[in-house]
Amino acid sequence: MIELSKAEFEVLDALWINYPATASQIIERLSGDKQWHEKTIKTLLSRLVKKGALTFEKDGRQYIYTPCMERADYTLKESQNFIERFFSGRIAPLVSGFAKSEQLSQQDINELKKVIDDWEKNQK
Amino acid sequence: MIELSKAEFEVLDALWINYPATASQIIERLSGDKQWHEKTIKTLLSRLVKKGALTFEKDGRQYIYTPCMERADYTLKESQNFIERFFSGRIAPLVSGFAKSEQLSQQDINELKKVIDDWEKNQK
DNA sequence: AAAAATAGATTACAGGTGTAGTCTTGAATT
DNA sequence: AATTCAAGACTACACCTGTAATCTATTTTT
């Protein structure tokens, strides 16, 4: 699995919003929440390319970036990894931890029920 | 939140198995899965102390370590953090990702149902 | 055409991390 | 008593990360 740092992921996440995109578009998207200098974001883009998380095509002097993987695939792998490390690969203890500390809303519960429902339908 | 590296967490995790414990006991516990040098583990113990994740009492020339927090509390915070970063704080999309990629077993589903059940009982 | 802006490439640099090795000191062994 | 062992302290060192600044080669702008 490609290992991305937090900052790298956030840049990639901005690209996932809509791609392909140029560096300036990505910088623009990040300008709201992050106080990152333009140079910082460009460094992160280079590192993402180096790690194989992005590719680009040249358009004159600019690069047009595209992610090499889908967000859902990446987050799934990260999730598996996380759950393996902290909960020996079982997902219920994670959810249970949330439940016990009052972190679950009725909406979360409804959504979880739906996930279970869909899963069961799929088994038939 | 105290930030622990992967290796640091694994050492702390070995302590959580049973504590208080000495360095040699922890090294013993880790000797199965990890190929860590004894010195490596001791370095990690020092770093954990420095970060405030452990304390110790002296027993002659040895230290007897105790975690400063409970595993469940630590993993809950890590989980919140993780879910915030990757799923905007919502837990269902994580579970849903697992479901879609056939990562859920019937046992997982049963456990999740129980968590939901317990949550609902608790609401009444 | 000269100057200024801009794209990416390269360099920087401190703090974290994995992974030990060496140093110091007191305890155990011969 | 002298030597060896072992505990923790301190040092090491390369790679990763966050966070840019500088360099180089165009494009724009004046």
Side-chain angles (χ1 to χ4, degrees):
Chain A
M1 185 175 61
I2 298 182
E3 298 266 356
L4 304 182
S5 76
K6 284 186 188 192
E8 285 159 2
F9 174 77
E10 292 189 62
V11 171
L12 180 50
D13 214 12
L15 178 57
W16 269 320
I17 290 172
N18 188 282
Y19 56 85
T22 63
S24 9
Q25 289 174 316
I26 294 169
I27 290 166
E28 174 58 30
R29 286 175 202 170
L30 289 166
S31 68
D33 6 305
K34 312 300 298 184
Q35 314 307 314
W36 281 332
H37 194 285
E38 161 226 1
K39 298 295 188 186
T40 299
I41 297 174
K42 289 189 173 183
T43 297
L44 293 169
L45 283 169
S46 308
R47 290 182 184 168
L48 283 163
V49 168
K50 194 171 171 194
K51 288 188 178 185
L54 308 175
T55 29
F56 60 83
E57 285 193 20
K58 288 194 182 176
D59 172 33
R61 212 148 63 95
Q62 290 191 134
Y63 290 175
I64 307 201
Y65 297 94
T66 307
C68 292
M69 52 193 165
E70 289 186 30
R71 192 182 197 285
D73 292 336
Y74 180 76
T75 58
L76 176 63
K77 278 180 190 141
E78 282 296 318
S79 301
Q80 287 174 212
N81 209 283
F82 181 87
I83 288 180
E84 187 59 44
R85 294 200 314 116
F86 292 103
F87 302 102
S88 310
R90 289 172 51 240
I91 199 171
L94 187 163
V95 182
S96 168
F98 269 64
K100 279 188 189 125
S101 62
E102 321 277 316
Q103 310 270 322
L104 292 186
S105 66
Q106 181 66 56
Q107 190 192 342
D108 291 323
I109 293 290
N110 293 342
E111 289 171 357
L112 287 171
K113 279 181 174 172
K114 175 139 181 18
V115 171
I116 290 175
D117 243 45
D118 291 349
W119 184 89
E120 291 187 325
K121 272 179 199 148
N122 214 266
Q123 294 313 103
K124 284 178 196 157
Chain B
M1 185 174 63
I2 296 182
E3 298 267 355
L4 304 182
S5 76
K6 284 187 189 193
E8 286 159 0
F9 174 78
E10 292 189 62
V11 171
L12 179 50
D13 215 12
L15 178 58
W16 269 320
I17 290 172
N18 188 280
Y19 57 85
T22 64
S24 11
Q25 288 174 318
I26 295 170
I27 290 166
E28 175 57 30
R29 286 175 201 169
L30 288 165
S31 68
D33 6 305
K34 313 299 299 185
Q35 313 307 315
W36 282 334
H37 195 285
E38 161 225 0
K39 298 293 188 187
T40 300
I41 296 174
K42 289 188 173 183
T43 297
L44 293 170
L45 282 170
S46 308
R47 291 182 184 169
L48 283 163
V49 169
K50 195 172 171 196
K51 288 188 179 187
L54 310 173
T55 28
F56 59 83
E57 285 194 20
K58 288 195 181 176
D59 172 33
R61 215 147 60 92
Q62 289 190 135
Y63 290 175
I64 306 202
Y65 296 94
T66 308
C68 292
M69 52 192 165
E70 290 187 27
R71 193 181 197 286
D73 291 335
Y74 180 75
T75 58
L76 176 62
K77 278 181 189 141
E78 282 296 319
S79 301
Q80 288 174 211
N81 209 285
F82 181 86
I83 289 181
E84 186 59 42
R85 294 200 315 115
F86 292 103
F87 301 102
S88 311
R90 288 172 51 238
I91 198 170
L94 188 163
V95 182
S96 168
F98 269 65
K100 281 190 187 120
S101 63
E102 323 276 317
Q103 310 270 321
L104 292 186
S105 66
Q106 181 66 55
Q107 189 192 342
D108 291 323
I109 293 290
N110 292 343
E111 289 171 356
L112 286 171
K113 279 182 176 172
K114 176 142 182 13
V115 172
I116 290 175
D117 244 45
D118 291 348
W119 185 89
E120 291 186 326
K121 273 179 200 148
N122 214 266
Q123 294 313 103
K124 287 180 194 153

